[in-house]
Amino acid sequence: MGSAITGWGDALPERVVTNAEFEARLDTSDEWIVSRTGIRERHVGGTTGELAVKAGWAALKSAGVDGTDIDLLVLATTTPDRAAPATSAAVHDTLGCSGTAFDLNAACAGFVYALVVADHLLDKTHRRALVIGADTLSRITDQEDRSTAVLFGDGAGAVVLERGGADDFVLSYDLGVDGSATPLLYADHGGYIKMAGREVYRRAVRAEILSIERVLGDAGLGADDIALFVPHQANARIIEAVNERIGIPMDKTAIVLDRTGNTSSASIPLALAHAADAGRLSEGDLVLLSGFGAGMTWASAVIRWGRRGAGR
Ligand code: UT7
């Protein structure tokens, strides 16, 4: 038995921080930020739990279900509100969900990890999952450090994943980690993000290309079969380099980073929700998701889009 995404939603804090704000107080410029990253503004504020709840509500509404219809909540986050309990516990309670909930930390690859895990857990007991990616990276970013402050934003995205239908939802996936790369990108408890940007960039391009080649190969697909590519939204130049190598045109790619910055676990579901809201997805479309992040982690998946898959 397969499964399908039956609803989606997203949440961004109200406060918008433009490149001009950074230009006014740091040794940087709108020109540098746009040309090196593609980012023009980012949203900042709220807690991870608050944003996760907002995106979760929107996804439940879009699916036409209540919290009580959810048997499983998986929250991908790198910035939990507390060390314990998991942020998903409070989100589960606020949304009035049934069943269980847990957090998952795979940094910017987290949402794809969470989607694959949730899909595997759907069975007779867990019929409907709410999968959320939410992060408030602004809380762990040194706002005086121009090399990281301009990059990150806060947000959340969510989908309802429902068991049913004959078609496989995940056609292929690839999850990986290389812990030896930890010194390149990390944040200690109570500390700020430290990143060797250029080396992370180099490895991110390589990891994404290899991972995408693996999932396309495993599913027996070519780049032309993909209706929409939803990459992690870290840097427009990384996305362009990957697209060029894989052979996916930019007009088949979901981009929100110009308005959101890098929102880590939230970036892929945010871009997916925006694309779905914009009517860019049709029944049966094959969607490629791919992300990478601290760890270094990477995750790619080819999924089949379509509410009908769940037999609603
Ligand atoms: O989602 C988690 C994964 N993280 C990422 O995907 C980030 C990957 N890395 C990147 O996106 C890019 O490496 C950055 C956007 C972080 C940096 O771009 P870059 O083209 O790799 O620049 P760089 O780090 O090599 O720095 C070039 C110059 C340096 O000055 P010098 O040493 O050449 O004089 C930096 O100090 O740019 C300087 N610089 C800035 N200048 C103006 C760094 N940040 C800024 C800034 N404004 N905000």
Side-chain angles (χ1 to χ4, degrees), residues 226-229 239-240 243 247-255 275 280:
I226 299 301
L228 187 73
F229 175 36
I239 297 172
E240 282 159 14
N243 278 31
I248 296 181
M250 289 305 283
D251 64 4
K252 278 188 173 183
T253 305
I255 304 281
R280 294 180 67 187

Side-chain angles (χ1 to χ4, degrees), residues 27-29 32-33 36-37 108 146-147 150-152 185 195 197-198 200-201 204 232 234-235 237-238 262 292-294:
D27 181 15
T28 189
S29 65
W32 190 96
I33 301 169
R36 300 288 180 119
T37 71
C108 307
R146 69 175 184 174
S147 71
V150 302
L151 302 177
F152 301 110
L185 177 53
M195 179 167 71
R198 199 173 288 186
V200 171
Y201 183 107
H232 172 45
N235 186 319
R237 288 188 298 143
I238 294 178
N262 181 346
F292 58 88

Side-chain angles (χ1 to χ4, degrees), residues 61-280:
K61 195 173 162 213
S62 153
V65 298
D66 294 322
T68 49
D69 297 317
I70 298 295
D71 312 304
L72 171 70
L73 191 159
V74 187
L75 173 62
T77 187
T78 319
T79 48
D81 292 331
R82 292 194 166 108
T87 305
S88 52
V91 175
H92 185 267
D93 180 50
T94 308
L95 293 176
C97 296
S98 308
T100 192
F102 59 90
D103 284 12
L104 187 157
N105 179 353
C108 307
F111 180 78
V112 181
Y113 268 72
L115 200 60
V116 171
V117 167
D119 186 53
H120 275 76
L121 288 177
L122 286 183
D123 58 14
K124 283 187 187 138
T125 313
H126 306 108
R127 294 189 53 79
R128 226 179 258 110
L130 180 60
V131 185
I132 308 176
D135 263 313
T136 44
L137 285 189
S138 70
R139 292 190 297 130
I140 59 165
T141 303
D142 181 354
Q143 297 300 329
E144 303 307 316
D145 173 8
R146 69 175 184 174
S147 71
T148 52
V150 302
L151 302 177
F152 301 110
D154 305 332
V159 299
V160 172
L161 187 64
E162 203 162 312
R163 183 172 180 262
D167 292 335
D168 278 342
F169 166 65
V170 177
L171 278 73
S172 58
Y173 68 90
D174 173 52
L175 311 179
V177 67
D178 174 6
S180 72
T182 298
L184 298 176
L185 177 53
Y186 66 93
D188 287 324
H189 282 301
Y192 291 131
I193 294 172
K194 305 282 182 211
M195 179 167 71
R198 199 173 288 186
E199 182 58 14
V200 171
Y201 183 107
R202 206 178 62 79
R203 291 185 185 225
V205 172
R206 198 175 55 193
E208 264 206 73
I209 289 170
L210 288 173
S211 183
I212 291 170
E213 285 175 348
R214 251 176 250 132
V215 292
L216 289 179
D218 287 352
L221 299 169
D224 289 351
D225 297 313
I226 299 301
L228 187 73
F229 175 36
V230 188
H232 172 45
Q233 313 278 312
N235 186 319
R237 288 188 298 143
I238 294 178
I239 297 172
E240 282 159 14
V242 170
N243 278 31
E244 193 178 310
R245 178 68 181 272
I246 301 292
I248 296 181
M250 289 305 283
D251 64 4
K252 278 188 173 183
T253 305
I255 304 281
V256 291
L257 96 163
D258 52 326
R259 289 161 284 155
T260 63
N262 181 346
T263 57
S264 193
S265 315
S267 92
I268 288 178
L270 259 170
L272 183 67
H274 280 225
D277 284 340
R280 294 180 67 187

